[in-house]
Amino acid sequence: MTIASPTGFRRLPPWLARLAGSSTLSESQPDHAAWVWLGGALVWMILGMCLGMIAAIKLTYPDFLGGTALLGFGRVRPEHVNTILFGWIVGGEIGAALYILPRVCQRSLILGELASLSGWAYHIAVLLGLVSVSLGWTKGAEYEEWVRGINLAVVITVNLTALCLALTVFERRVSGLFVSVWYFFLFAIAFDFIYIPANLSRNAGAEGAVINWYYGHNAVGSVMTGAGLAIAYYVVPRLLNRQLFAHGVATLSFWTFAGFYIWNGGHHLLYGPVPRFITMMGYFAAFGMTLPFVLSTVSLWGTIWGQWRAILDSVAVRFAVLAAFVYFWASASGAMLAWHELTIIQHFSDNTIAHVHLAFLGFTTPALNALLYLMMERGLRRPLIPVLQKLHWWMFVIGCALYILPIYGAAFFEGVGWFQQVPFSETVALRYPYYYLRMYSGLFLIGGQLAMVWNLIYAWRSPALEPVAAIESPVWLVPGEEA
């Protein structure tokens, strides 16, 4: 079943029409807006990872790149964080939504040109944010470094694209809503709910700390993780060509996720000068999160179970399975971080760094990798180079292991050392070997992701193996039917 795409804006100047992809919103190429967002996200991914590696090197060799303020750790680190979070993760997840929602709704994207132009404007905003931080123009709060003009541009572009997606869902040609739709809706609502109070208002003191960590935790949680689950719920059954196991359980996982995750963040302020009820609310919300991550694991792994041959045969399936596995691990360890007794030892150590990179590197990035391979092979019907796919997989897995395991180890000894009154300078020296391994992990991670980008560019430039259809049947049909 194919569905013709709407033409969207009728009268655009020729140069603007080319940017917006007006000539491509047809049965031969229905995903122009998705590729605008995802293409830019890939650029930010590589740049952000390179900035992260520079920051890791400077923690081991402080004089690396000299003492220039422009290249100092205090600027490179927030450049890395913002480029990865907003350029790669948020940009990539919006691109994923532009690809997935039309398929599960059996309705081509409405106002596709608006989504494409919003994508270009969003990438310009990310670029301006990168430049402003490198020049030292920031608001000085973690995850809130960008100045308000850039914040406003981010809000406008994200909401214009969310409007296109909402109209597409409201005009859907199926009666039910696949669980991915719910998670993408939460992504859009939570983004405004947390981003606007933190970035477009003035807060200071204890009030500013509460809002900052309510926003910081949910930027990773309700936004990044919510949309990451939406991608996982699509790519796992789609790659395996089978129905999602226990869709009702997956839907229940969404409602518990939406009910508990948004109240997390207070546990970052334990033992700080804030009201006790704020930290206790974060404590109970964190443990309430055991419901959604257990339910999601049941649904995702129920779909995967028995498909062992597919895992061996397909690199894309391996990335999807890795994302499903690490989601459970990251969520379980995140809930433990709200436990007061554990927080005394671990929360303010490198454990937080290891945890957030576990979510970013082990869950969201593999889910996006799997989707990109799916889009190229099954969406555009383009051939990929198998050797590069396998190289990508092994370099990525080795890079993740070299980053996450040593930093968890450093965090353990660091926290125990503080608890036992070991001088701070000694804990710094103790962490040096672990930081050294993290530095080398960047070579594997960047090399693996570059292999994927090279492979995608090769496939994009190759002729299609068969005619490319428009939006086809949805993912929950019987196994063997494509979506």
Side-chain angles (χ1 to χ4, degrees), residues 67-78:
T68 306
L70 194 68
L71 299 173
F73 181 85
R75 296 190 187 181
V76 171
R77 195 260 179 183

Side-chain angles (χ1 to χ4, degrees), residues 136-397:
W137 302 337
T138 79
K139 298 201 298 293
E142 192 166 12
Y143 298 159
E144 297 177 29
E145 286 87 358
W146 290 352
V147 295
R148 287 184 176 81
I150 298 172
N151 298 146
L152 185 61
V154 168
V155 170
I156 291 172
T157 52
V158 169
N159 280 278
L160 286 177
T161 308
L163 173 65
C164 303
L165 292 168
L167 291 173
T168 303
V169 174
F170 293 147
E171 294 294 326
R172 66 187 184 276
R173 296 178 181 175
V174 293
S175 57
L177 287 175
F178 189 62
V179 65
S180 293
V181 179
W182 291 108
Y183 275 104
F184 278 129
F185 261 123
L186 177 65
F187 168 92
I189 294 170
F191 187 88
D192 285 349
F193 198 55
I194 65 172
Y195 191 87
I196 291 174
N199 289 279
L200 295 179
S201 60
R202 297 182 182 276
N203 308 290
E207 179 187 66
V210 172
I211 292 176
N212 176 256
W213 276 111
Y214 168 75
Y215 158 68
H217 188 98
N218 280 288
V220 176
S222 297
V223 173
M224 184 182 86
T225 305
L229 277 171
I231 298 168
Y233 274 122
Y234 179 81
V235 298
V236 168
R238 175 66 185 87
L239 286 167
L240 296 173
N241 282 327
R242 64 189 320 205
Q243 289 176 294
L244 180 68
F245 178 78
H247 188 271
V249 171
T251 304
L252 180 60
S253 78
F254 163 76
W255 289 109
T256 53
F257 182 98
F260 284 110
Y261 216 138
I262 199 69
W263 305 114
N264 273 274
H267 62 280
H268 284 274
L269 301 167
L270 288 170
Y271 310 108
V274 297
R276 178 70 169 171
F277 80 89
I278 290 177
T279 60
M280 290 305 296
M281 183 173 66
Y283 177 84
F284 287 115
F287 280 93
M289 280 300 297
T290 56
L291 282 172
F293 78 70
V294 168
L295 293 171
S296 294
T297 301
V298 168
S299 184
L300 289 170
W301 275 95
T303 309
I304 294 166
W305 197 261
Q307 301 298 302
W308 317 123
R309 188 68 199 176
I311 297 173
L312 293 174
D313 292 342
S314 170
V315 171
V317 173
R318 287 183 218 169
F319 275 114
V321 170
L322 177 64
F325 172 75
V326 173
Y327 170 66
F328 179 87
W329 181 14
S331 298
S333 62
M336 293 297 290
L337 285 176
W339 183 19
H340 291 198
E341 287 74 13
L342 181 62
T343 295
I344 294 174
I345 300 175
Q346 289 292 291
H347 191 88
F348 300 104
S349 70
D350 284 343
N351 190 291
T352 304
I353 305 299
H355 172 66
V356 75
H357 281 81
L358 177 65
F360 150 60
L361 287 173
F363 169 55
T364 312
T365 297
L368 282 167
N369 290 345
L371 179 70
L372 286 161
Y373 282 138
L374 170 65
M375 291 174 67
M376 191 60 69
E377 287 187 296
R378 302 195 186 185
L380 295 179
R381 306 295 199 271
R382 306 292 173 89
L384 290 164
I385 304 173
V387 173
L388 282 182
Q389 282 187 290
K390 293 176 182 177
L391 179 66
H392 176 205
W393 165 256
W394 287 112
M395 291 188 74
F396 185 85
V397 170

